[in-house]
Amino acid sequence: MKSFVADESIGQYIESVFPTEDAFLLDVRERARAAGLPDIHVGGADGLHLSALVRMSGARKVVEIGTLAGYSGVRIARALPSEGRLWTFEFSPEHAAVARETFRLAQVNCAEIVIGPALEKLPSIEEFGPFDLVFIDADKENYVGYLDWAYRNLRVGGSVLADNVFAWGYIAPGTQVPPERREAVEALRVFNAALAGDARWMATILPTGEGLALAVKVR
Ligand code: SAH
Ligand code: DHB
Ligand code: MG
């Protein structure tokens, strides 16, 4: 059996066929670049995945770990129903300021940016739970910590999405990993194994370019 590995030409194909980004989303990337933020927003196709999965799940209350410039936040917010809400966590006040402007320009009124280290700040929103979906996309070393929080604060049937679970191509054991990535890569291996070995989650990895983990809380 041939295993599927997403390659660049597949991603380019998707983006050539699907209208992945409108002018507004392209401008979010541009404003982020101009403000000196790192270019690590989800890609165009993953933006589509986020929107479709949020809508497909019927999520109304979504939590995001890692706001950056609000690119993925807009993708999520556009898929929410009118009463939907998004709580998004960002360590950096500078990034949060860019994201606040993004949400204002996008006329996204349902998003609340919480500034600070997400693991410490998550308890402050527990009163609004249980939540329907948690998107994890920051602080790879603590992915398992965010998964534990998600389990405790999602409804049964709620889901987790997690970006970058292929660890920039270094996830497979035996891969030569640059020293500065070692801790994150190991943490992502532990995260994937934790998801795979836990009957409380029905889980898989969608083989996008970055690897998008998808897990449903089943009990
Ligand atoms: N989801 C965004 C990209 C997030 S990049 C998008 O696709 O558009 C990761 C972001 O998480 C960065 O802005 C970084 O500053 C922030 N971050 C890193 N560690 C964090 C932590 N411990 N708590 C909250 N945010 C963190
Ligand atoms: C990095 C983080 C991300 O979430 C991502 O999608 C790509 C790169 C990084 O920390 O380098
Ligand atoms: Mg990411």
Side-chain angles (χ1 to χ4, degrees), residues 43-210:
D46 282 325
L48 293 178
H49 291 129
L50 278 180
S51 292
L53 289 165
V54 166
R55 180 62 65 92
M56 185 177 156
S57 67
R60 293 184 303 118
K61 291 189 280 180
V62 177
V63 177
E64 174 179 67
I65 314 297
T67 314
L68 191 58
Y71 181 95
S72 55
V74 169
R75 293 293 206 167
I76 291 166
R78 284 180 176 178
L80 290 172
S82 57
E83 78 278 16
R85 290 186 73 179
L86 170 66
W87 292 265
T88 180
F89 290 78
E90 176 52 57
F91 185 81
S92 153
E94 290 77 27
H95 297 189
V98 176
R100 188 164 296 111
E101 179 69 356
T102 297
F103 293 142
R104 189 185 70 77
L105 292 169
Q107 294 177 284
V108 164
N109 301 314
C110 66
E112 186 177 324
I113 304 171
V114 183
I115 299 176
L119 218 43
E120 285 174 33
K121 293 287 179 179
L122 278 164
S124 71
I125 65 160
E126 286 176 4
E127 62 181 295
F128 302 108
F131 301 95
D132 302 306
L133 189 144
V134 177
F135 174 50
I136 307 173
D137 190 24
D139 186 20
K140 312 308 173 193
E141 287 79 0
N142 283 312
Y143 264 35
V144 168
Y146 299 124
L147 184 65
D148 289 343
W149 185 88
Y151 184 77
R152 286 183 275 108
N153 292 279
L154 282 170
R155 64 173 168 83
V156 172
S159 40
V160 165
L161 296 170
D163 192 33
N164 307 109
V165 300
F166 290 162
W168 313 283
Y170 302 121
I171 199 67
T175 308
Q176 191 63 35
V177 183
E180 68 277 12
R181 291 285 199 193
R182 277 186 196 146
E183 208 183 328
V185 172
E186 187 49 35
L188 289 166
R189 287 178 183 151
V190 170
F191 175 82
N192 290 337
L195 261 188
D198 190 335
R200 299 175 306 165
W201 298 105
M202 191 176 277
T204 187
I205 296 175
L206 303 180
T208 60
E210 299 295 330

Side-chain angles (χ1 to χ4, degrees), residues 26 28-37 39 41:
L26 285 171
V28 174
R29 295 188 191 277
E30 189 46 46
R31 279 192 303 105
R33 192 175 300 120
L37 272 52
D39 186 10
H41 327 268

